[in-house]
Amino acid sequence: SVGCGVYTSSWVAPKSDVHSQQRFFYMGTNGEINVDQAHRGCTVGQDGKPFASVNPLFMKYTPTNGYFSGQSAYGVKSFENFIDACAACNNGTKKPDDFDDGSIATVHTTFQGTAILEAGRMSLDADGQPMDLIYESDTEMHPTEIKAHTF
């Protein structure tokens, strides 16, 4: 299969409704994915299936019967899970690396995303010079180096 990707990064933007536009769009032969992280939205369209918003409710800002009712929204759940993990580490029932399974964000689970952001920052500092993430092997998930791309 052959594909083409265009990646852009910039911290220079006019005033808008969000601090930074964070978007991802994928168009495939049988469907598309459109992620708008700044507005907490993710939609998927596939041939033969109805258009869907697959993003869970980040936060429920409106009360139910006059009371806060956002306890099950993932914006609240993510904080609850983090606090529970801290308590488990503090009382000795868990170790920090027990959470590298993706149940909460850790250095291990966010390493790739952080490397991509750092490569973007390095590219901006170098007047748009493309950067390469270097891995020890094709199966390694953590980059070992970020260096300027040579053409």
Side-chain angles (χ1 to χ4, degrees), residues 82-106:
F82 175 75
I83 291 168
D84 290 347
C86 290
C89 289
N90 287 338
N91 69 26
T93 58
K94 295 270 189 178
K95 300 183 307 293
D97 61 354
D98 290 335
F99 299 99
D100 288 342
D101 60 358
S103 57
I104 64 171
T106 66

Side-chain angles (χ1 to χ4, degrees), residues 24-100:
F24 171 82
F25 180 76
Y26 166 80
M27 174 65 74
T29 56
N30 296 314
E32 69 177 43
I33 300 171
N34 189 356
V35 178
D36 180 359
Q37 182 64 18
H39 295 98
R40 304 288 186 216
C42 177
T43 57
V44 176
Q46 293 177 284
D47 289 349
K49 294 184 181 179
F51 184 76
S53 176
V54 297
N55 192 48
L57 182 64
F58 175 74
M59 184 63 181
K60 184 175 186 305
Y61 297 101
T62 56
T64 301
N65 297 323
Y67 295 98
F68 175 76
S69 58
Q71 297 90 333
S72 62
Y74 82 86
V76 173
K77 283 289 187 187
S78 61
F79 286 108
E80 180 183 350
N81 293 342
F82 175 75
I83 291 168
D84 290 347
C86 290
C89 289
N90 287 338
N91 69 26
T93 58
K94 295 270 189 178
K95 300 183 307 293
D97 61 354
D98 290 335
F99 299 99
D100 288 342

Side-chain angles (χ1 to χ4, degrees), residues 107-123 131-135 141-147:
V107 170
H108 176 75
T109 62
T110 61
F111 200 91
Q112 286 182 305
T114 302
I116 291 167
L117 291 171
E118 177 63 8
R121 184 200 61 78
M122 291 171 67
S123 175
M131 297 292 157
D132 293 329
L133 298 176
I134 308 302
Y135 296 85
M141 297 298 291
H142 294 135
T144 57
E145 182 182 0
I146 303 170
K147 67 179 188 177

